[in-house]
Amino acid sequence: MSFDGAYTAAIPTFKFLVLCAHEKNRLPVAVMDGLRFRTISLVALRQACLHVESLRFLRLRVVRQGPVSVLVELISLLTGKRSQVSEREGSKSSQQPAWFNYTDSHEFMERVRLGMPPLIICVACNGGIQGKEASEVIPEAADEIAESVHAAYEAGAVMVHIHARDPKDLTQAARETSIWREVLRKVRQHCPEIIINATTGASPAMSMEERSSSLAAGPELASLNLAPDMSKFKLKERKAPLLFPRPALEIDECTPYTYGQIHQFAAEMKQRGIKPELEVYHPGCAWVVDYLIENHLLEKPYWIQTVMGYQTGSFPTVDNILQLLKEFPDESLWLCSAIGAFQLPLTTLATLMGGHVRVGLEDNVYFSRGRKAVSNAELVQRTVRIAHELNRPVATPAQAREMLGLRGQPSQY
């Protein structure tokens, strides 16, 4: 059989291996049994070139191959010939837009065949309400946040969602732009390419003006809540020797977002060149997405997060996610988050379906039943493992920026 004949015959089974290793910054590995390919996996983050140290194939040894497709190399060894055709032929995944209709059966099947877009992993590192009284590894101070985010970044996160804390009382959210700017500066020093996403949700009892203090600090993205936020919960007592101890608290509050307030947030984000992350809690939020589009306050592609399991939001079920996705406008990228025990199953669902995921200690402090996560990085590492087992490439910061339509140069502070 000719090289091109063998190559063409192999393409339907090995779509992922057709892509050059250096383009995806992943290491494709083929495990063989005799002359048959047995398993395919994509492993290793941000590796610039492919190293095959001990592959024996037809009594040949391949050592330190450059950034070429494993499939192309193995078939060339089998046939003794090199293709005259570009390696990219036969794979259209790199030519597809990152967004698609997530609930369309035919589009899903086509994406599975051609390869899903790289997975954007966002780490929600701390949140603005609970702190070390819930888990001692939740970062609160600026240096802690930067170090925790750096470990998650090295593990594979390409975006961070941040809640800055008031250094005068770390149980409180930051209300001043100067505090926000210092936190973002330290994160950027530790993580030169990570995409910085700041909250405007903040914490209970903050005014809308205080919530917008993060925007003047210059994040690349910012969360934009699309519905009133009502919740009732208890916070554990914060005991010494933790800084700023306080008694247990019972919270019963509602943040009454209006169309006018949401419009104002979106307009300021557009004026400052900040991409909104649209927080969808239930199907009614689709009305607000339409309103923002009709008023020319959003740029494509739309970055929409389904927030599952939050009080007064949709129950964290597969059926509810599918219903929310059906309301997405064209050219939307889907980010999935879920609270507590629902984080793992629903972010795995999103990984399977071609969406993107948010994990981290803001939403979930447990790694498994009865065992708390030791860091944000541990939750990111598991997400990367799951993605690789599902043959889903993990996005680099540059790939994520391109998919989201962000400027290529990271923000500076």
Side-chain angles (χ1 to χ4, degrees), residues 357-373:
V357 300
R358 165 173 142 168
V359 297
L361 296 169
E362 174 178 353
D363 301 331
N364 168 44
V365 299
Y366 284 90
F367 184 81
S368 59
R369 198 175 306 277
R371 202 268 273 181
K372 288 185 176 180

Side-chain angles (χ1 to χ4, degrees), residues 105-120:
S105 299
H106 292 91
E107 287 198 46
F108 172 77
M109 290 188 291
E110 185 71 3
R111 289 293 177 135
V112 170
R113 293 187 185 106
L114 296 179
M116 290 289 184
L119 175 70
I120 296 173

Side-chain angles (χ1 to χ4, degrees), residues 374-400:
V374 299
S375 64
N376 280 300
E378 185 180 37
L379 296 170
V380 172
Q381 288 164 353
R382 177 170 63 186
T383 303
V384 170
R385 280 200 308 275
I386 290 171
H388 289 159
E389 290 300 327
L390 297 175
N391 269 334
R392 181 85 188 268
V394 176
T396 65
Q399 289 172 325

Side-chain angles (χ1 to χ4, degrees), residues 37-349:
F37 291 92
R38 187 153 46 86
T39 60
I40 300 297
S41 181
L42 296 176
V43 298
L45 285 169
R46 304 190 180 112
Q47 294 201 10
C49 91
L50 171 63
H51 299 275
V52 181
E53 300 294 345
S54 59
L55 175 62
R56 293 184 180 275
F57 187 83
L58 299 181
R59 298 183 180 179
L60 294 175
R61 187 183 182 98
V62 183
V63 180
R64 298 183 62 81
Q65 292 298 314
V68 296
S69 164
V70 172
L71 177 60
V72 170
E73 188 64 29
L74 293 178
I75 292 178
S76 71
L77 291 172
L78 174 65
T79 62
K81 300 177 182 179
R82 289 279 181 179
S83 176
Q84 303 303 310
V85 182
S86 167
E87 287 184 64
R88 293 190 179 188
E89 291 194 18
S91 175
K92 300 180 181 179
S93 60
S94 62
Q95 303 170 13
Q96 299 294 316
W99 56 269
F100 65 100
N101 185 339
Y102 299 100
T103 60
D104 183 281
S105 299
H106 292 91
E107 287 198 46
F108 172 77
M109 290 188 291
E110 185 71 3
R111 289 293 177 135
V112 170
R113 293 187 185 106
L114 296 179
M116 290 289 184
L119 175 70
I120 296 173
I121 300 176
C122 174
V123 59
C125 64
N126 59 351
I129 301 177
Q130 65 182 7
K132 292 186 182 298
E133 71 281 356
S135 170
E136 62 182 12
V137 297
I138 292 178
E140 296 177 340
D143 287 330
E144 286 183 311
I145 292 171
E147 291 168 6
S148 181
V149 173
H150 178 254
Y153 172 67
E154 289 297 312
V158 295
M159 180 186 294
V160 58
H161 177 71
I162 300 175
H163 287 251
R165 301 291 185 99
D166 184 347
K168 297 176 182 178
D169 183 353
L170 292 173
T171 69
Q172 299 297 312
R175 290 170 162 82
E176 300 174 14
T177 297
S178 60
I179 297 173
W180 267 104
R181 191 172 288 117
E182 179 66 5
V183 172
L184 302 193
R185 183 184 68 81
K186 290 188 174 183
V187 170
R188 176 59 74 222
Q189 284 180 339
H190 282 71
C191 310
E193 297 182 343
I194 202 167
I195 298 169
I196 293 180
N197 176 338
T199 187
T200 62
S203 65
M206 290 181 65
S207 69
M208 291 298 168
E209 183 179 357
E210 289 172 333
R211 292 170 187 271
S212 67
S213 63
S214 63
L215 300 181
E220 297 166 288
L221 281 84
S223 61
L224 180 56
N225 288 353
L226 301 183
D229 178 354
M230 185 172 72
S231 56
K232 181 178 174 65
F233 55 89
K234 294 181 180 180
L235 291 177
K236 293 181 179 180
E237 178 184 2
R238 186 179 173 102
K239 299 178 181 180
L242 292 177
L243 297 176
F244 313 105
R246 55 152 178 77
L249 298 175
E250 186 166 335
I251 308 296
D252 186 0
E253 56 90 27
C254 179
T255 305
Y257 284 95
T258 67
Y259 272 96
Q261 290 166 334
I262 296 169
H263 185 119
Q264 185 175 347
F265 273 113
E268 183 175 354
M269 290 181 194
K270 184 174 182 178
Q271 187 271 327
R272 294 183 180 278
I274 299 168
K275 191 175 190 67
E277 178 182 274
L278 305 176
E279 313 298 339
V280 170
Y281 295 91
H282 54 69
C285 294
W287 291 97
V288 188
V289 175
D290 289 347
Y291 169 86
L292 294 172
I293 293 172
E294 290 166 3
N295 284 272
H296 309 290
L297 293 170
L298 303 178
E299 302 290 340
K300 296 179 181 178
Y302 312 122
W303 180 237
I304 304 179
Q305 178 173 212
T306 53
V307 185
M308 308 306 296
Y310 194 82
Q311 290 184 19
T312 67
S314 294
F315 284 160
T317 67
V318 173
D319 186 57
N320 282 339
I321 282 183
L322 294 176
Q323 186 57 49
L324 292 173
L325 291 173
K326 289 176 182 177
E327 309 298 342
F328 275 25
D330 289 341
E331 298 187 47
S332 294
L333 293 174
W334 168 35
L335 176 68
C336 182
S337 69
I339 306 301
F342 302 101
Q343 183 176 92
L344 177 59
L346 294 188
T347 55
T348 301
L349 174 70

